[in-house]
Amino acid sequence: MIEKPLTPEDVEFVTTLHGEEQISFVVLMQPRGDQADVLLRAIDDVAIGELREAARESEEPEGKEAREPAAIALEYSLQELRKAGSEAVGQVVEEHPLDKLKTVVDDSRADEVIVLTAPHYVEEFFHRDWASRARHKVGVPVLKLFAHSE
């Protein structure tokens, strides 16, 4: 599960986690929406010293307006994973992302879930971040990784 396009560093990291083993990915792209509160994102930005980002949180597209940028980010990420030699498919998930994640894990018989996000300190503190919530739902190990900056 990702929330922004994978950087080259992210692609290298996730495709080499298991050494030379061939890996296939089912990527779920979670666009910004109602579940990601603007105030919490701004607090996270302030916590990591990104004051300019905190001031621009209200400018970021959300909900339906975030769907097209999310689809573009997903397609870019899938192409980069394929270029690195992995099989990769995916979809943008807007409603009930953890339910969709559980279905994908079950249908694909996934060995693990990787949640690749920016730090979300407030949500992590209260264990409301995607990785913490997924650990209680999917039935396989959940690896939380912090995405590299662009």
Side-chain angles (χ1 to χ4, degrees):
M1 180 176 275
I2 62 174
E3 60 185 9
K4 65 179 198 158
L6 298 178
T7 65
E9 293 86 1
D10 294 331
V11 171
E12 181 180 358
F13 192 45
V14 299
T15 58
T16 60
L17 276 173
H18 298 286
E20 299 296 316
E21 184 179 333
Q22 179 65 27
I23 300 175
S24 61
F25 294 91
V26 178
V27 181
L28 300 180
M29 176 70 179
Q30 177 63 48
R32 298 174 88 134
D34 295 336
Q35 77 285 348
D37 182 34
V38 174
L39 178 59
L40 290 178
R41 290 193 311 259
I43 291 170
D44 286 338
D45 290 337
V46 170
I48 60 175
E50 295 182 355
L51 299 177
R52 290 184 183 160
E53 291 297 319
R56 288 190 292 235
E57 279 298 336
S58 64
E59 299 170 11
E60 292 290 325
E62 293 189 4
K64 291 180 182 181
E65 292 156 3
R67 177 122 174 68
E68 185 177 346
I72 292 168
L74 174 63
E75 189 53 39
Y76 171 81
S77 299
L78 294 175
Q79 289 174 6
E80 293 303 304
L81 289 168
R82 292 175 191 137
K83 283 183 196 175
S86 296
E87 295 178 21
V89 297
Q91 68 184 81
V92 175
V93 180
E94 295 181 73
E95 294 186 20
H96 310 292
L98 292 175
D99 292 340
K100 182 62 178 178
L101 180 60
K102 172 72 171 145
T103 300
V104 167
V105 166
D106 292 345
D107 292 350
S108 66
R109 298 185 195 153
D111 295 324
E112 69 183 349
V113 168
I114 299 172
V115 177
L116 188 69
T117 69
H120 298 293
Y121 297 112
V122 175
E123 291 174 352
E124 289 167 22
F125 180 79
F126 292 106
H127 302 284
R128 300 302 302 154
D129 59 298
W130 292 120
S132 296
R133 293 169 58 199
R135 285 187 181 105
H136 299 286
K137 185 134 186 133
V138 297
V140 297
V142 176
L143 179 60
K144 178 179 186 163
L145 301 174
F146 291 122
H148 290 81
S149 298
E150 284 96 333

